[in-house]
Amino acid sequence: MMNISNDQALKDALNSLTREQQRVLGARYTLNISSLVDNPRLKSALQVAVTPESTEQELKDAYKVAKSIATKTYTACGRDADWGLQAEHFIAAACAAVLTPDALVTETFNAAWKAAIQSRMAKNCLMIESDSGELENEADKQYALTEAFLGE
């Protein structure tokens, strides 16, 4: 079993995954924090992303939903705004990343890595909103999720 304890080890592990594996694992990162926002459409899109058996049409439709939410909430970023809305933006961006159609994927694009970073940003926004700090950070949770995924 692989031991992942830093971002370089995480990136190396993620680069060894297929596109479908990147989608499922990246969606798991995002699901890990999605319960902290209340958007049923986004949660539905995430369920499609995390399900290996999702059809091409379901994936395409879920991508459109996630992308539209990310675009709609983008204006909240970068200004004094609702931290919860900013978190929703990053969760939607993470979801859209894992659902990105193959035609839009570049050679260096890694959906799981993008979802990991966007999920961390969402978690940071939510921690600012609640004025709290957790003992276990999101990166450590992602390392553990990845180790478990690779062990399946």
Side-chain angles (χ1 to χ4, degrees), residues 21-34:
Q21 290 172 320
Q22 288 178 26
R23 173 176 55 85
V24 172
L25 182 56
R28 287 183 187 180
Y29 296 153
T30 311
L31 275 174
N32 195 42
I33 59 162
S34 69

Side-chain angles (χ1 to χ4, degrees), residues 6 29 31-32 38-39 44 46 52-54 60-61 86-88 93 96 101 103-104 107 109 119 126 130 142:
N6 60 58
Y29 296 153
L31 275 174
N32 195 42
D38 186 29
N39 186 324
S44 177
L46 273 169
E53 300 81 23
S54 293
K60 186 183 210 180
D61 292 344
Q86 289 189 40
E88 185 176 340
L104 301 177
E107 187 177 317
F109 180 81
S119 295
L126 293 167
S130 67
Q142 292 170 349

Side-chain angles (χ1 to χ4, degrees), residues 112-129:
W113 175 249
K114 189 155 176 95
I117 298 304
Q118 298 286 354
S119 295
R120 292 177 193 180
M121 294 294 292
K123 183 64 175 251
N124 288 340
C125 291
L126 293 167
M127 285 175 27
I128 292 168
E129 179 181 53

Side-chain angles (χ1 to χ4, degrees), residues 73-83 85-86 89-90 121 125:
T73 56
Y74 178 76
T75 57
C77 293
R79 62 182 178 142
D80 264 352
D82 180 339
W83 287 106
L85 189 59
Q86 289 189 40
H89 164 75
F90 289 116
M121 294 294 292
C125 291

Side-chain angles (χ1 to χ4, degrees), residues 38-150:
D38 186 29
N39 186 324
R41 291 178 59 227
L42 184 53
K43 288 180 181 182
S44 177
L46 273 169
Q47 283 303 318
V48 170
V50 79
T51 304
E53 300 81 23
S54 293
T55 67
E56 284 299 314
Q57 189 60 50
E58 289 170 329
L59 293 169
K60 186 183 210 180
D61 292 344
Y63 171 75
K64 288 178 184 177
V65 168
K67 188 70 171 171
S68 72
I69 294 168
T71 301
K72 178 182 166 203
T73 56
Y74 178 76
T75 57
C77 293
R79 62 182 178 142
D80 264 352
D82 180 339
W83 287 106
L85 189 59
Q86 289 189 40
E88 185 176 340
H89 164 75
F90 289 116
I91 293 169
C95 185
V98 298
L99 291 165
T100 301
D102 289 341
L104 301 177
V105 172
T106 63
E107 187 177 317
T108 59
F109 180 81
N110 187 299
W113 175 249
K114 189 155 176 95
I117 298 304
Q118 298 286 354
S119 295
R120 292 177 193 180
M121 294 294 292
K123 183 64 175 251
N124 288 340
C125 291
L126 293 167
M127 285 175 27
I128 292 168
E129 179 181 53
S130 67
D131 198 25
S132 71
E134 288 189 358
L135 294 176
E136 183 181 25
N137 74 30
E138 201 59 30
D140 289 337
K141 291 177 186 177
Q142 292 170 349
Y143 302 157
L145 274 171
T146 305
E147 288 174 0
F149 183 82
L150 294 173

